[in-house]
Amino acid sequence: MEFDELVRIMEALRKGCPWDRQQTHRSLKPYLIEEAYELVEAIEAEDPARMKEELGDLLLQVLFHSELARERGDFDIGDVITAIGEKMIKRHPHVFGTEVFTTPEEVVGQWEERKREEGKLRKSLLEGVPRSMPSLLRAHRLQARAARAGFDWKRTEDVMEKLDEELSEFREAVRSGEEGRMEDELGDVFFVLVNISRFIGVSPEDALAGTIGKFMDRFRYMEEQAKQRGKKLGDMSLEEMDALWEEAKGK
């Protein structure tokens, strides 16, 4: 199937499907986010067949929004393709021009310079990171931007000391029982943990996702073992559940 045919399919859906007809840019937001996450899951699973499917679903969302815009006379999918193509050529003069950059840092630096020339750099380096991003990822991006300006730790040990400091303050907040203070200090702990992950080159999203996966696998093992013993997990004592948890970790 050619790309133009897919565009015509999207146009037909808008004309002939009651559900598609009633959609707006705002109503489609949850689906756009969902499709992006499903693609991430396929990438994590290293499943090419699923990646192909999820990339198609995500592409459909791009086409959907472009068709809505075309109907309003704002732009169409051709304009979207032209804009991103021109942007990539302009921001990669070392590929499509004569400039020479030998490191990723040089590329990022000139990328920011091109944005400045285009008038797209805001008053603060921290502006432009979407508020709708997951908080861990957003914190990571904001910290990375601050680091470009030199606002960063020098040694891993310094960040670890900051974590100890924040944990101490969080413990004090918990002892105080003040909800607002506990929330504030817990946020500080998370923020420092993200800083550590960035400093050592580990994605906080990937790290937490891996731990969640381990937790789910082990908990499912506990449920299955309890079932095999003719029990419900909720009816077992904490000691029995701890024993099953250790079994799951051993496997």
Side-chain angles (χ1 to χ4, degrees):
M1 179 179 294
E2 297 296 326
F3 184 74
D4 287 347
E5 187 175 351
L6 183 58
V7 174
R8 288 193 293 271
I9 288 173
M10 186 69 254
E11 292 174 357
L13 289 173
R14 278 288 290 172
K15 293 175 182 177
C17 176
W19 187 88
D20 289 288
R21 279 201 305 268
Q22 72 176 6
Q23 300 311 309
T24 65
H25 288 301
R26 284 186 174 274
S27 70
L28 288 172
K29 285 197 304 181
Y31 303 102
L32 176 63
I33 295 170
E34 181 181 339
E35 298 300 353
Y37 277 123
E38 289 181 357
L39 174 58
V40 170
E41 285 188 4
I43 293 171
E44 291 296 327
E46 298 183 352
D47 186 338
R50 188 176 167 198
M51 282 178 60
K52 178 180 69 175
E53 178 182 356
E54 299 302 343
L55 280 167
D57 291 344
L58 190 57
L59 176 59
L60 183 65
Q61 290 298 312
V62 175
L63 286 171
F64 210 144
H65 283 279
S66 298
E67 175 58 19
L68 292 176
R70 186 193 68 79
E71 293 169 5
R72 289 165 50 110
D74 296 332
F75 58 84
D76 61 19
I77 188 63
D79 297 323
V80 173
I81 293 171
T82 298
I84 189 60
E86 291 177 349
K87 181 191 291 185
M88 290 302 100
I89 292 172
K90 188 173 182 179
R91 294 189 182 177
H92 291 80
H94 53 298
V95 177
F96 302 102
T98 58
E99 295 191 38
V100 177
F101 303 120
T102 57
T103 68
E105 290 74 21
E106 288 178 326
V107 173
V108 171
Q110 71 84 30
W111 181 280
E112 295 298 331
E113 182 60 32
R114 297 285 171 174
K115 290 173 69 175
R116 186 176 292 106
E117 292 172 0
E118 296 166 9
K120 292 183 178 179
L121 278 184
R122 299 171 174 84
K123 294 181 180 180
S124 171
L125 277 173
L126 302 184
E127 292 183 35
V129 179
R131 293 180 179 272
S132 57
M133 289 177 73
S135 294
L136 285 180
L137 183 56
R138 185 164 183 251
H140 192 273
R141 292 285 294 275
L142 289 170
Q143 291 169 2
R145 289 196 178 195
R148 288 184 209 162
F151 187 66
D152 202 4
W153 305 95
K154 299 298 182 184
R155 304 178 308 150
T156 306
E157 292 78 7
D158 296 333
V159 200
M160 298 300 290
E161 288 178 7
K162 183 62 176 176
L163 176 61
D164 291 337
E165 176 187 326
E166 296 297 350
L167 283 171
S168 177
E169 292 178 2
F170 176 60
R171 291 189 186 95
E172 290 180 11
V174 172
R175 284 194 290 269
S176 76
E178 298 175 24
E179 185 175 344
R181 186 180 171 192
M182 288 189 290
E183 179 179 319
D184 184 58
E185 296 299 344
L186 183 58
D188 289 347
V189 171
F190 281 134
F191 200 75
V192 175
L193 285 172
V194 172
N195 236 329
I196 292 172
S197 73
R198 181 187 57 81
F199 208 78
I200 64 176
V202 173
S203 164
E205 288 287 337
D206 290 347
L208 184 56
T211 295
I212 291 171
K214 285 191 299 184
F215 176 81
M216 291 178 66
D217 289 342
R218 292 170 184 175
F219 194 82
R220 285 168 180 159
Y221 175 86
M222 293 168 60
E223 290 177 315
E224 184 60 33
Q225 290 300 308
K227 183 178 179 181
Q228 290 182 14
R229 300 173 193 187
K231 297 182 178 181
K232 292 182 179 179
L233 196 59
D235 294 333
M236 300 180 76
S237 68
L238 184 57
E239 290 74 17
E240 289 175 307
M241 286 191 282
D242 280 340
L244 288 179
W245 179 264
E246 291 303 320
E247 280 185 31
K249 287 177 63 177
K251 292 183 177 298

